[in-house]
Amino acid sequence: MILPIVAYGDPVLRKKAENITKDYPNLDTLIENMKETMYGAYGIGLAAPQIGLPIRLFIVDTAPFAEDEGFTEEEREIFENFQRTFINAEILDEEGDEWAFNEGCLSIPDVREDVFRQPKITIKYQDENFKTHTEVFDGIIARIIQHEYDHIEGVLFTDKLSSLKKRLIKGKLANISKGKIRVDYKMRFPAMKKKR
Ligand code: NI
């Protein structure tokens, strides 16, 4: 089932999400629905707060990047096969000199900006079977994980921009939160304030 994606301005995107246990109700269905939602919107990552749930769960599938001419063949092969579910993730370490990459977000349609992040991360997480892993990722894959991880910390990529850039996109963000945007996937916009 495709779920509506929560738009910028909804308070759920600002919550620090909570850990979950194996007994979380209908977790398998939830993960399946999140995948369907992500693929339906041509996303490469989706975090539970983006479908309205403040829990520490996100998914990544880089397969759409496998088609992208901008990457080497070796990179494309890695992207084609990288699919993960991250539960209760905790970034243990980030290393290296920050580099810029153009990021976007399904909750913030039509806004794309260069974001600086460190290139290498060590992350501890549980997979969909609640098996614990500690892994090191770098490059684009680390980048996508960092973006999704920010979602479960209540952080959005637009928070990381310079104050000038933030000023430049302020109007666009306000329009998104009011639902004044055309988007080709299902979204849920924060309730508009009613006039008294
Ligand atoms: Ni995002």
Side-chain angles (χ1 to χ4, degrees):
M1 187 172 67
I2 291 185
L3 307 165
I5 294 174
V6 167
Y8 181 92
D10 191 305
V12 74
L13 295 177
R14 291 311 191 176
K15 280 190 186 150
K16 190 176 157 81
E18 302 277 347
N19 281 343
I20 58 168
T21 65
K22 262 197 215 54
D23 306 319
Y24 191 85
N26 307 315
L27 184 59
D28 292 345
T29 312
L30 172 63
I31 293 169
E32 275 317 303
N33 288 345
M34 282 177 64
K35 285 181 184 169
E36 209 181 320
T37 303
M38 177 177 75
Y39 297 136
Y42 301 100
I44 47 170
L46 186 71
Q50 293 182 277
I51 48 113
L53 295 175
I55 57 172
R56 296 182 81 80
L57 161 64
F58 60 87
I59 56 173
V60 172
D61 186 336
T62 56
F65 274 171
E67 315 284 304
D68 202 314
E69 299 293 322
F71 299 112
T72 65
E73 202 161 315
E74 200 186 339
E75 283 173 322
R76 286 194 269 159
E77 214 173 288
I78 294 169
F79 297 150
E80 193 162 350
N81 299 305
F82 192 82
Q83 270 188 23
R84 288 296 154 90
T85 300
F86 293 84
I87 296 170
N88 301 334
E90 197 188 334
I91 289 183
L92 303 176
D93 196 25
E94 290 183 279
E95 298 164 71
D97 295 333
E98 291 194 339
W99 66 298
F101 185 76
N102 203 252
E103 294 188 24
C105 180
L106 294 175
S107 294
I108 316 175
D110 280 350
V111 176
R112 297 199 66 91
E113 294 292 344
D114 280 353
V115 179
F116 285 87
R117 300 185 191 267
Q118 287 180 282
K120 191 173 170 188
I121 61 164
T122 306
I123 188 168
K124 187 177 168 189
Y125 67 96
Q126 286 160 311
D127 63 22
E128 55 277 0
N129 302 311
F130 273 82
K131 187 174 183 293
T132 302
H133 304 261
T134 300
E135 275 186 286
V136 175
F137 296 106
D138 60 11
I140 308 272
I141 288 178
R143 166 70 57 157
I144 300 163
I145 294 169
Q146 286 164 314
H147 176 114
E148 298 310 323
Y149 184 83
D150 273 354
H151 276 300
I152 62 169
E153 293 286 306
V155 174
L156 300 170
F157 82 91
T158 48
D159 301 344
K160 299 189 175 280
L161 305 175
S162 68
S163 44
L164 172 66
K165 276 274 167 61
K166 278 182 188 154
R167 268 203 304 277
L168 291 172
I169 62 167
K170 209 176 160 192
K172 252 183 164 177
L173 294 178
N175 281 341
I176 294 170
S177 63
K178 289 177 197 148
K180 290 185 192 163
I181 178 114
R182 289 183 81 126
V183 61
D184 54 9
Y185 46 89
K186 213 191 321 176
M187 287 195 92
R188 187 181 100 192
F189 297 96
M192 286 165 72
K193 278 187 190 139
K194 283 185 192 141
K195 282 182 190 159
R196 304 188 64 154

